[in-house]
Amino acid sequence: MPDDDPASPAPRHALIVGAGIGGLATALFLVRAGWRVTIAEREATLHEAGAGLQLSPNATRLLARLGMMADFTDLAVRPQEMVVRRHDGTVLSRPVLGKAAEQRFGAPFLVIHRGDLQNVLRQRAEKTSGIAFRLGHRIIDLRETDDQVTGIFETASGVTVRIAADLLVGADGLWSRVRPLSGLPQPSQPQGKTAWRGLVPREAAPIFAREAKVNLWLGPNAHLVHYPVSGGEAVNVVAIIDEPWLEEGWNAPGDPDVLTRLFARWDEDARALIAASPGWNRWALLDRAPESRWSRGRVTLLGDAAHAMLPFLAQGASQAIEDGASLAAHLGTAGHPAPIAGALARYDRVRIARTARIQSGARSQGRIYHLSGPLALARDTTLRLLPRDAALNRYAWIYAHDAESLTG
Ligand SMILES: Cc1cc2nc3c(=O)[nH]c(=O)nc-3n(C[C@H](O)[C@H](O)[C@H](O)COP(=O)(O)OP(=O)(O)OC[C@H]3O[C@@H](n4cnc5c(N)ncnc54)[C@H](O)[C@@H]3O)c2cc1C
């Protein structure tokens, strides 16, 4: 009897490729819905990689339903406001976050180190019965029949391993291998921008950068974002610059002299923070044009593998978490399982519509951030006139969204 027959008593089995933010969260949502999950990850150990991420209420609401908010208490920071400055240090606006956002959306805004978020999710997954890890497994191929899908992996020792499941989820990030294996093209588009990240230990950071705030500095052809992470023990600094450089990966070393030169005419506070970082890593910014489907047969995608997006609405991690919650909701519960093909078609429809809107919003935000000349002046004048809750109003469609609602 096929596992997606509603009468089958055996838990259905999902094979998730990628133990990043989306893959781990999805495993937890699927187990809660009665699935058994295997997570296959190419890295042999999940070491702390990356820097800061923002989690908005649309994602924290879902993590709260998994009973996870206490896991973040010592690690995540709850920013009280965002401070938007011009590159010369002039404050343009101070949108509220903190309590105002939490009261309005019923869940908090958090900023967190990517490694901490991944650790919290991994530890929760390790303690959850029904989730098995296969680390050091790089997917190289897949095969599908009417009844099952099989992922074919190369392990670190060179052995080929096959894992069969009812469903295969490609949560393998921006440079996804599952995507081409499932017959989708790879139209990720470099945007001529790179992100440089530094992590400044608290004691080395200028005082203004230690406060529980998200800071955004806008300049011609560049912007700077910083906020505290790791319970306030470090400050995550990301400089986005126009740079037509492209290489796969998240950790290419960056030459600090490049930033020193580019930010030489910025306010001294911004320069002091940049100078305080002990090192820089950079990655190329890519996104994808929205597609008409992510799923084929028993294979689907989520997170960056599905909908790479620019980081200017800070939704990369939050949308991957939403995807996982939505996928599990569409697949039904153990008592009421939905047939896989129909569930994936509905998941595609709902999630593609939502993430396409965010992809396009992030693109236009990037253009606005990097304006120069009279257009930048017009932007700054508008920002100065905005009430403090304008950003919460403008982005309520993102933050109020409930990804477990089946209507999208
Ligand atoms: C090392 C690293 C550092 C990052 N640093 C930052 C950062 O500083 N700031 C930021 O905004 N975003 C960062 N990101 C991206 C951010 O995590 C994602 O944009 C967002 O969280 C969506 O997550 P995701 O689950 O779709 O993908 P990811 O979190 O990227 O996870 C993808 C996972 O798939 C695994 N994988 C890839 N290929 C294969 C394969 N062939 N077989 C098996 N497993 C595979 C990867 O090792 C990774 O664990 C980073 C991602 C990675 C992998």
Side-chain angles (χ1 to χ4, degrees), residues 18 20-22 41-42 49-51 53 114 137 139 172 197 250 303-304:
I21 308 307
E41 162 61 47
R42 74 174 165 195
L53 295 172
R114 182 183 180 276
H137 282 53
I139 193 157
D172 53 342
R197 68 166 187 272
W250 296 91
D304 285 353

Side-chain angles (χ1 to χ4, degrees), residues 61-127:
R61 153 178 322 117
L62 302 169
L63 297 173
R65 287 184 195 149
L66 291 173
M68 293 191 66
M69 288 320 285
D71 302 354
F72 295 109
T73 307
D74 297 332
L75 300 170
V77 171
R78 295 182 179 221
Q80 294 311 306
E81 64 175 0
M82 186 171 191
V83 183
V84 184
R85 297 178 182 84
R86 208 163 58 188
H87 60 100
D88 62 6
T90 310
V91 173
L92 299 172
S93 70
R94 305 181 89 101
V96 281
L97 295 172
K99 285 206 178 73
E102 190 164 351
Q103 272 162 10
R104 175 156 178 188
F105 300 114
F109 257 97
L110 301 179
V111 287
I112 188 165
H113 191 291
R114 182 183 180 276
D116 290 336
L117 176 59
Q118 192 181 26
N119 269 338
V120 164
L121 291 166
R122 176 181 56 82
Q123 283 164 11
R124 180 57 74 122
E126 283 170 352
K127 281 192 252 161

Side-chain angles (χ1 to χ4, degrees), residues 245-259:
W245 167 87
L246 181 64
E247 209 173 83
E248 181 171 335
W250 296 91
N251 291 314
D255 175 357
D257 290 346
V258 172
L259 291 190

